Amino acid sequence: MSSVFVLRDHPELKFILDANQVKIIDLSDPTSSGSYLYSEIRSITLNEKETNWMFSIFSILLEFWTGLGNGKIYETNANLTLITDKQKIKIGLQGADLKQVNKTIEFINEKTHLDSKLITK
């Protein structure tokens, strides 16, 4: 029996977890779509949205000195990093339901027998 986790509707991002594998459907970035055996998954990490303070401060100082008016706060979007024996997959989570993301991570951790119930970075 499969479990389906819809993380985002538009563009669609969903995880289908079967007995032996996880299938990822990511319409925003088809290169991250695919099927991955639980036995090949080494880690799954949720990287939450962060402010890039170094770039933001540089942008604000540059605006102050030049008067161009384009200084702003820059942020990196949340993403999910899945590392397998063969590759590293980075999945953008812009507009995704983070509660569903956490449930998905917990379910994958149970299937792969990873030590941590929820891995965040």
Side-chain angles (χ1 to χ4, degrees), residues 15 18 22 43-45 47-48 55-56 62 64-65 70 81-82 84 91 95 102 106 109 112 117:
F15 282 58
D18 294 325
V22 57
S43 71
I44 184 166
T45 307
N47 303 299
E48 298 187 48
F55 196 69
S56 297
L62 186 63
F64 177 74
W65 284 321
N70 57 355
T81 304
L82 181 72
T84 69
I91 302 164
N102 284 327
E106 288 176 8
N109 283 334
T112 58
K117 288 292 179 191

Side-chain angles (χ1 to χ4, degrees), residues 25-120:
I25 300 171
D26 184 0
L27 297 183
S28 70
D29 182 10
T31 61
S32 60
S33 296
S35 297
Y36 309 96
L37 294 173
Y38 294 126
S39 60
E40 295 178 346
I41 296 174
R42 296 296 157 236
S43 71
I44 184 166
T45 307
L46 172 62
N47 303 299
E48 298 187 48
K49 186 176 186 177
E50 295 178 342
T51 300
N52 185 335
W53 287 110
M54 178 87 77
F55 196 69
S56 297
I57 290 170
F58 176 75
S59 172
I60 292 168
L61 289 174
L62 186 63
E63 173 192 3
F64 177 74
W65 284 321
T66 63
L68 294 176
N70 57 355
K72 65 178 189 175
I73 303 296
Y74 289 90
E75 296 180 330
T76 57
N77 291 322
N79 63 69
L80 192 64
T81 304
L82 181 72
I83 298 176
T84 69
D85 289 339
K86 299 175 185 174
Q87 61 186 332
K88 179 178 180 180
I89 302 107
K90 190 172 182 180
I91 302 164
L93 296 176
Q94 186 172 6
D97 179 352
L98 292 181
K99 288 183 183 180
Q100 280 295 96
V101 172
N102 284 327
K103 287 180 186 178
T104 305
I105 293 170
E106 288 176 8
F107 197 96
I108 291 172
N109 283 334
E110 288 174 13
K111 292 286 189 176
T112 58
H113 306 292
L114 295 174
D115 291 335
S116 177
K117 288 292 179 191
L118 179 62
I119 303 172
T120 58

